[in-house]
């Protein structure tokens, strides 16, 4: 696990409730491509169900991080692409199963008109820093 410093609110910047404003560390940089709600066979999971999709996406992120020798503790940034901001509570709930509130990464949430296929409601990408 890398040594990361999280700064919830730098001087002059309002604190955010659901993410850290700044996360920094030293080590090996890992980029995880945007993950969709696909199972191990590449089949969609949870059509029209943002909670089921979010759980699958975070499981896929966990597996990708593990392949790089990382965990969610090493994540410095998450980017959420959602077709409807109303899905964010379900995404936060899935995130909470993997990341504790005292280790929140920096984050961005972007509402998009659509994703690669119409059944997908969200996509999440991650950046991590792993100790060498």
């Amino acid at each position: 696990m890398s040594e990361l410093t999280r700064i919830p609110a730098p001087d002059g910047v309002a604190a955010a409730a659901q993410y850290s404003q700044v996360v920094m560390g030293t080590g090996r940089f890992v980029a995880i491509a945007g993950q969709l709600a696909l199972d191990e066979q590449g089949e969609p999971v949870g059509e029209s169900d943002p909670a089921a999709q979010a759980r699958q996406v975070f499981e896929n992120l966990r597996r990708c991080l593990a392949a790089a020798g990382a965990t969610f503790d090493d994540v410095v940034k998450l980017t959420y692409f959602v077709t409807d901001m109303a899905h964010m509570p379900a995404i936060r709930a899935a995130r909470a199963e993997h990341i504790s509130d005292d280790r929140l990464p920096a984050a961005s949430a972007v509402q998009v008109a659509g994703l690669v296929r119409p059944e997908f409601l969200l996509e999440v990408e991650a950046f991590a820093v792993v100790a060498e």
Side-chain angles (χ1 to χ4, degrees), residues 10-126:
D11 289 343
V13 178
Q18 296 294 325
Y19 58 90
S20 297
Q21 294 286 9
V22 178
V23 180
M24 58 188 165
T26 58
R28 183 171 42 87
F29 179 75
V30 176
I32 306 296
Q35 296 298 303
L36 297 163
L38 292 170
D39 66 16
E40 293 180 51
Q41 291 75 41
E43 296 298 320
V45 172
E47 190 168 342
S48 302
D49 183 348
Q53 288 197 15
R55 286 190 302 273
Q56 183 65 50
V57 163
F58 273 88
E59 178 58 19
N60 291 349
L61 287 169
R62 186 194 65 74
R63 290 174 178 168
C64 289
L65 287 163
T71 70
F72 279 104
D73 284 342
D74 302 309
V75 172
V76 296
K77 175 79 166 42
L78 292 171
T79 305
Y80 308 102
F81 302 96
V82 296
T83 57
D84 187 335
M85 284 295 177
H87 302 324
M88 288 306 297
I91 294 168
R92 286 186 197 108
R95 182 198 65 205
E97 294 175 17
H98 298 277
I99 303 173
S100 65
D101 284 349
D102 65 334
R103 301 197 57 81
L104 292 173
S108 300
V110 181
Q111 184 167 330
V112 296
L115 294 164
V116 67
R117 292 184 359 207
E119 64 267 33
F120 296 121
L121 305 174
L122 61 118
E123 180 174 340
V124 182
E125 67 181 14

